[in-house]
Amino acid sequence: MTKFDYTDTDWTAIERLKKWYSGDVHDSMESLGLWGHLDGISLLGALEPGQVVCGPAVTVLFEVSDRKGDPQDVYHNAIDNTPEGGILVCDASCAPGSCSGELMSSGAKTRGAAATVVYGTVRDLAQVRALGYPLFGSAPSPVGVTGKKEPRHSQVPLQIGRATVRPGDVIFGDIDGVVVIPKERVRDVADAADALGRNEAAARDRILAGEKLQSVWPE
């Protein structure tokens, strides 16, 4: 039985992270010896200017399949059990086909999901953007999944480039891309991001006041 227990989510740290952007978050992770960038995935749905999404991961793994009909039952179950504020993360890179579009995004938004992140293609972008839903993916494609692949596992670790996404890890996304933070380090990353953000804000104020960059960042 797939477990969807998010009682240990550090929502306080997540709210702190929402003050920053993905560059701050990943710089903070690197300062702690961590790597979290989900390479090749970008925003294809909708975010308001300056908006970010941040929440615990609900994972879905697709595998090659020639099954016909409606081969999405594992994915549907994951959407239906996503905690409010959670972020669906799908590895659908095993074969061509877009596992997420208007209907999956509509279901996720209705359940209170903050976003969907797909390692693979997505579709129905005009409709998803009209819905106002943050959908991230590798590229757009009108091709469907039926007869090519299907979701076989949920709440399992996913390997996306150099980064591993486990259920409950914290996903951060904005217009620049997507980052995953190990759930046991999310408070450390939030602390580092707060410090970095304060330093960057002070540097920005000095630059806008007319100081030259070399005086703000001396050799």
Side-chain angles (χ1 to χ4, degrees):
M1 186 96 171
T2 300
K3 183 180 179 182
F4 293 87
D5 181 3
Y6 285 79
T7 54
D8 62 348
T9 300
D10 191 340
W11 293 105
T12 300
I14 286 171
E15 288 302 314
R16 289 168 57 199
L17 286 166
K18 288 180 181 178
K19 297 184 297 182
W20 311 115
Y21 56 90
S22 59
D24 291 322
V25 173
H26 206 273
D27 285 352
S28 298
M29 291 185 69
E30 288 193 76
S31 75
L32 298 171
L34 303 172
W35 184 270
H37 180 226
L38 302 189
D39 190 35
I41 296 176
S42 58
L43 176 65
L44 296 171
L47 277 177
E48 295 295 326
Q51 183 185 359
V52 306
V53 293
C54 189
V58 174
T59 67
V60 179
L61 178 63
F62 282 70
E63 294 180 354
V64 174
S65 171
D66 60 3
R67 180 179 161 200
K68 305 286 186 179
D70 189 21
Q72 296 270 12
D73 44 346
V74 171
Y75 190 17
H76 292 167
N77 182 61
I79 291 173
D80 288 343
N81 286 280
T82 297
E84 185 169 358
I87 295 180
L88 289 144
V89 184
C90 303
D91 181 353
S93 62
C94 60
S98 295
C99 71
S100 288
E102 180 184 14
L103 297 182
M104 298 303 105
S105 296
S106 296
K109 182 174 182 178
T110 300
R111 291 301 306 166
T116 297
V117 176
V118 178
Y119 187 35
T121 62
V122 296
R123 66 182 185 178
D124 307 333
L125 296 187
Q127 292 78 12
V128 172
R129 290 168 181 169
L131 183 66
Y133 188 69
L135 176 62
F136 297 79
S138 302
S141 169
V143 175
V145 300
T146 300
K148 307 173 189 69
K149 59 186 172 185
E150 66 173 298
R152 288 271 179 81
H153 309 281
S154 61
Q155 298 301 75
V156 295
L158 307 177
Q159 190 67 38
I160 301 177
R162 293 172 56 182
T164 301
V165 181
R166 303 167 301 168
D169 284 346
V170 173
I171 303 296
F172 187 103
D174 62 14
I175 195 170
D176 290 331
V178 182
V179 173
V180 58
I181 306 165
K183 61 183 178 182
E184 66 273 14
R185 299 300 303 275
V186 64
R187 188 167 296 238
D188 296 334
V189 174
D191 288 343
D194 284 345
L196 176 63
R198 286 192 296 269
N199 290 338
E200 288 199 345
R204 181 182 63 246
D205 290 345
R206 291 172 62 187
I207 293 166
L208 292 175
E211 284 193 54
K212 293 182 178 180
L213 289 173
Q214 286 181 309
S215 65
V216 177
W217 288 289
E219 291 185 4

